[in-house]
Amino acid sequence: MGGLSFVYLIVTTFFPEHKIRTMRSFISGRVPQLRELLITITILFSIYITIIAVALFYLGERNLIDNFALAMSAVSTGGWIPNSQILAGLTIPEHTVIIAGMILGALPFGFHYAFVRTKFMSINISKEVALYFAIMVAATTIFLLSMNVGSMDSIFNIISASTTTGFQTINLQNLNPVAGIIITVAMLIGGCGFSTAGGLKVFRLINLAGIRNLFRKNLTRSDKNEIITALILAISFPTIPLFVANHMQSLGYDFEDSYFDAVSALTTTGLGTGTVTASLDSFTITMFSFLMILGRIEIILLLYMFVPKLIP
């Protein structure tokens, strides 16, 4: 619930319904009524979680409670695990099941809604979903070719980054420059709009493609605001972590590792290179905490609150 309804509840608190329906820069796809949203999310995601948990139970040897915890964490792209070693002994079928759960969490709510509400069991592959899968395939291929790790570990960790889940099965301190850039970009882009994933969101990349039309006279105010919002966020997401990384460097930490961990915090991913530990001073911990909160409520929400002109 933390990924979808929490954000939606915040938005409905600040904005009337007629405004929410025009805020396409925040929510992609159809905007359902709050009651309808909660019911659909509860039922559909409960089904997802149950199927994944049962599949893990039959494919592995873990107890059912651990399986449900892992399934919930995957679908909500939360990244929490029942114990620190639970991902170490995963088989290929178990990896595949968890990957499916992470991807489900990163798909837009419109995809799930169409799956059960419009035409039952129909698959709606929108431009955003198609682009998201293309990004995952490209990132996984480059990561696999640049790192000397197994193919399943490469696929698992890239999808974990692109869905901003945070499941980690390799030591990220050993990343080469190419692999480090790829996994950082995957976190920054994140999943699809109105999903449990964090990041910039794929549909805003599509909006950015229209920047060449920004000064056209026949461009509507709504479309113009969408492009401007996407541009602001595309600049903000990679820039904000720089301040934290510079602060960490002044404390003696590696800049690249610090930037990676700051991006991970802002995109609510949770992957880490080891710079964020209990030994950090309270001010630095507060900075990372702020990044996590900012990433969860989304920078765009603050823009709408403090720059209302961006609302169509």
Side-chain angles (χ1 to χ4, degrees):
M1 290 295 189
L4 286 173
S5 61
F6 174 71
V7 174
Y8 189 76
L9 284 169
I10 291 177
V11 175
T12 54
T13 299
F14 285 102
F15 304 103
E17 184 176 327
H18 73 278
K19 287 291 186 182
I20 295 174
R21 292 186 181 279
T22 62
M23 290 166 61
R24 290 179 293 169
S25 295
F26 181 72
I27 300 173
S28 65
R30 177 187 178 277
V31 182
Q33 298 293 328
L34 182 58
R35 180 181 177 184
E36 182 185 6
L37 173 77
L38 293 175
I39 292 174
T40 304
I41 288 176
T42 302
I43 295 175
L44 186 58
F45 278 68
S46 294
I47 294 172
Y48 288 160
I49 289 167
T50 301
I51 293 174
I52 293 170
V54 172
L56 290 174
F57 180 80
Y58 282 102
L59 292 172
E61 299 179 356
R62 298 182 186 86
N63 65 63
L64 196 57
I65 299 298
D66 284 353
N67 293 330
F68 267 97
L70 202 55
M72 287 181 179
S73 189
V75 173
S76 67
T77 64
W80 287 93
I81 52 179
N83 66 72
S84 60
Q85 300 301 317
I86 198 168
L87 298 177
L90 291 179
T91 62
I92 291 179
E94 289 174 299
H95 271 108
T96 304
V97 169
I98 295 175
I99 286 172
M102 292 190 289
I103 292 175
L104 282 173
L107 294 178
F109 178 75
F111 176 92
H112 304 293
Y113 187 89
F115 189 63
V116 296
R117 289 282 187 175
T118 53
K119 187 177 180 181
F120 186 66
M121 296 294 285
S122 64
I123 302 297
N124 180 25
I125 304 297
S126 63
K127 182 189 298 185
E128 180 186 17
V129 174
L131 178 58
Y132 176 63
F133 280 116
I135 291 171
M136 282 200 298
V137 170
T140 301
T141 302
I142 298 173
F143 189 86
L144 179 61
L145 294 175
S146 62
M147 285 289 291
N148 187 25
V149 296
S151 57
M152 182 52 71
D153 276 333
S154 295
I155 295 170
F156 187 85
N157 284 273
I158 278 292
I159 291 179
S160 177
S162 68
T163 60
T164 68
T165 303
F167 288 153
Q168 183 174 332
T169 60
I170 61 176
N171 186 353
L172 298 178
Q173 289 179 307
N174 297 329
L175 292 177
N176 60 48
V178 174
I181 292 172
I182 290 300
I183 201 168
T184 301
V185 171
M187 291 191 294
L188 286 170
I189 294 174
C192 298
F194 204 22
S195 69
T196 62
L200 177 65
K201 304 295 176 62
V202 174
F203 78 99
R204 293 195 181 107
L205 295 181
I206 298 174
N207 289 343
L208 281 174
I211 195 170
R212 62 183 182 276
N213 301 321
L214 187 59
F215 299 104
R216 285 174 52 185
K217 293 182 179 180
N218 61 343
L219 192 67
T220 65
R221 182 191 172 195
S222 176
D223 290 338
K224 183 177 181 179
N225 284 355
E226 285 185 37
I227 296 172
I228 293 174
T229 301
L231 182 60
I232 292 173
L233 292 176
I235 296 172
S236 300
F237 264 97
T239 302
I240 291 175
L242 287 173
F243 297 100
V244 179
N246 282 323
H247 171 71
M248 292 287 285
Q249 186 179 39
S250 70
L251 299 178
Y253 291 92
D254 180 77
F255 179 83
E256 286 77 12
D257 288 345
S258 300
Y259 182 76
F260 182 96
D261 288 353
V263 168
S264 181
L266 181 62
T267 57
T268 70
T269 306
L271 295 175
T273 60
T275 64
V276 182
T277 65
S279 62
L280 289 175
D281 61 273
S282 58
F283 175 75
T284 306
I285 290 177
T286 302
M287 292 179 70
F288 276 99
S289 300
F290 174 75
L291 288 179
M292 291 186 286
I293 294 172
L294 184 62
R296 183 67 285 171
I297 65 173
E298 291 218 6
I299 301 171
I300 182 61
L301 182 58
L302 296 181
L303 286 176
Y304 281 147
M305 289 171 61
F306 296 108
V307 190
K309 289 184 179 181
L310 287 177
I311 302 177

